[in-house]
Amino acid sequence: MVFVVPKALAGAFLFCLKGFMAFLGKFSWCPCPDCGGFYKIRTSRKIIEKFIEYYTSCEKCGNKRKFVRRFEGVVWPSPKMNEKDVRKKYSPAHVRAALQEINFIYHDKKQLMTEELDKLELQVKQLRQKLKSHQKEYDLLMAIAAEK
């Protein structure tokens, strides 16, 4: 499977991809055809400067697959850029030409952040329960101390 990423995408996409790989290490946009699980990156290798192979395995069934990516340009602005710089660098024609890639990056990153937010919300819920339990233990000890 080969994904071609236009020049308008590469820099930001590499930034996004590096963060995405370090963050979750999986291809969240490519479900396994056998079980619907997601492919986790096992290893990768740079073929040439802008051409990378990823060796993956499905998290659910273990199905193995190779993905190949070619990076050609920048489509997504750096988070450090202000609106003026973004408007200067990205013309309307440039953005229209890269709409498919922009949508892909947006939805993929949104899905990854939503999954991470769900995990964090679960952790908060568990910590709130621990805190409540801890408070009950404390209140019990204080009640015992107050008895005659």
Side-chain angles (χ1 to χ4, degrees):
M1 184 177 295
V2 175
F3 296 96
V4 177
V5 181
K7 281 187 178 178
L9 244 188
F13 192 74
L14 275 173
F15 171 79
C16 181
L17 184 64
K18 282 180 187 174
F20 145 84
M21 285 173 30
F23 187 63
L24 286 177
K26 65 183 178 181
F27 288 99
S28 62
W29 41 265
C30 187
C32 175
D34 295 334
C35 72
F38 293 111
Y39 285 96
K40 186 170 181 68
I41 298 169
R42 294 182 299 129
T43 187
S44 64
R45 71 182 182 113
K46 185 189 281 189
I47 308 293
I48 57 175
E49 182 60 31
K50 296 180 180 181
F51 196 81
I52 301 171
E53 282 184 337
Y54 296 97
Y55 297 91
T56 66
S57 62
C58 176
E59 292 179 309
K60 287 186 180 177
C61 70
N63 187 8
K64 292 183 177 26
R65 184 170 283 201
K66 178 174 77 171
F67 292 88
V68 179
R69 283 240 164 125
R70 185 175 79 209
F71 302 97
E72 295 181 357
V74 179
V75 169
W76 201 269
S78 163
K80 297 176 183 177
M81 294 176 76
N82 61 37
E83 183 178 343
K84 182 180 176 183
D85 293 338
V86 173
R87 289 185 176 279
K88 184 177 178 181
K89 185 170 184 166
Y90 299 93
S91 69
H94 175 94
V95 173
R96 281 192 295 273
L99 276 178
Q100 184 177 0
E101 291 80 14
I102 290 169
N103 284 324
F104 166 79
I105 290 171
Y106 168 75
H107 290 291
D108 188 56
K109 193 71 170 178
K110 181 181 176 185
Q111 179 179 346
L112 293 172
M113 287 188 277
T114 299
E115 289 172 6
E116 183 63 15
L117 185 58
D118 290 344
K119 289 178 188 176
L120 290 171
E121 286 172 348
L122 180 60
Q123 287 178 348
V124 166
K125 184 178 178 181
Q126 291 169 342
L127 284 171
R128 287 187 194 281
Q129 289 171 345
K130 283 183 179 181
L131 180 59
K132 192 175 184 178
S133 175
H134 186 66
Q135 181 68 46
K136 282 183 180 181
E137 292 165 355
Y138 174 78
D139 291 344
L140 175 60
L141 291 173
M142 292 299 105
I144 292 170
E147 292 176 3
K148 290 187 180 184

